[in-house]
Amino acid sequence: MENGNSMYLIRTALDELRNKKIIIPAITTVERIVWDVRNKAEAKIYKIVNDCLDDEQKRRLDGMLNTKVENGITRLAWLKEIPGNHSPETFIKVIERLEYVRCLNLSIHTSGIHQNRLRQLSRLGARYEPYAFKKLMHQKVCYTCHILT
């Protein structure tokens, strides 16, 4: 739950096996176990976040991927734009974005998610482009069987 880095998890699993004096299985077995545990942890984290959102909030978040602002980009892309130079106009644009986010009225309780994991998810989300999120909307992952539905 603290870290989703596969290499870190594999090293930690191997260290734990050594500390408990357990014969280390083939690396593919360790990788598969780490993969399964990592997917279960991710599913638990996503469930925590998803359970905090009602249908209206989910609709508003989905709308960020479809609603275009004046220059033809999505609301999410607009929110992710780098403000630019320091000027009164830039400050007003930042305030407009902040007001938009506040109007979404999201209340997500992250107390069940470790801070390191929140930072990792934040960095991952920052790298995603809006079209990638839109693609994810249409694919639901079954974490128990690793199948895209």
Side-chain angles (χ1 to χ4, degrees):
M1 293 292 289
E2 293 178 20
N3 194 327
N5 182 300
S6 297
M7 290 306 296
Y8 169 80
L9 294 171
I10 289 171
R11 280 194 305 271
T12 302
L14 292 173
D15 289 344
E16 188 67 23
L17 290 170
R18 284 186 192 107
N19 289 339
K20 292 188 177 197
K21 299 183 192 278
I22 297 172
I23 297 173
I24 297 174
I27 193 66
T28 55
T29 303
V30 175
E31 288 173 345
R32 189 174 55 250
I33 291 169
V34 165
W35 177 262
D36 287 342
V37 170
R38 183 174 159 236
N39 282 342
K40 287 178 184 177
E42 283 182 0
K44 186 175 180 179
I45 289 168
Y46 295 146
K47 182 173 176 16
I48 290 170
V49 173
N50 197 36
D51 288 350
C52 291
L53 299 171
D54 61 30
D55 290 337
E56 178 61 24
Q57 291 169 327
K58 290 175 189 176
R59 187 190 60 74
R60 280 188 243 141
L61 287 171
D62 288 344
M64 289 174 53
L65 301 173
N66 299 321
T67 308
K68 306 278 186 190
V69 289
E70 65 275 351
N71 53 1
I73 61 173
T74 65
R75 284 275 181 197
L76 181 59
W78 172 70
L79 287 171
K80 289 178 65 172
E81 282 181 342
I82 298 172
N85 59 0
H86 305 292
S87 68
E89 293 83 19
T90 302
F91 187 71
I92 289 171
K93 288 180 184 179
V94 170
I95 290 176
E96 287 172 357
R97 293 177 191 166
L98 181 60
E99 286 176 353
Y100 178 80
V101 170
R102 285 185 176 161
C103 286
L104 291 174
N105 198 22
L106 301 176
S107 58
I108 300 173
H109 306 288
T110 59
S111 58
I113 305 171
H114 195 276
Q115 289 298 316
N116 288 340
R117 198 69 164 126
L118 286 173
R119 280 192 285 277
Q120 286 177 338
L121 291 171
S122 173
R123 285 192 298 267
L124 179 65
R127 289 195 311 250
Y128 270 50
E129 294 296 326
Y131 71 87
F133 284 112
K134 203 172 202 178
K135 197 164 123 180
L136 287 175
M137 282 174 38
H138 301 295
Q139 293 180 340
K140 295 179 183 175
V141 178
C142 176
Y143 287 100
T144 56
C145 54
H146 313 296
I147 297 172
L148 288 175
T149 58

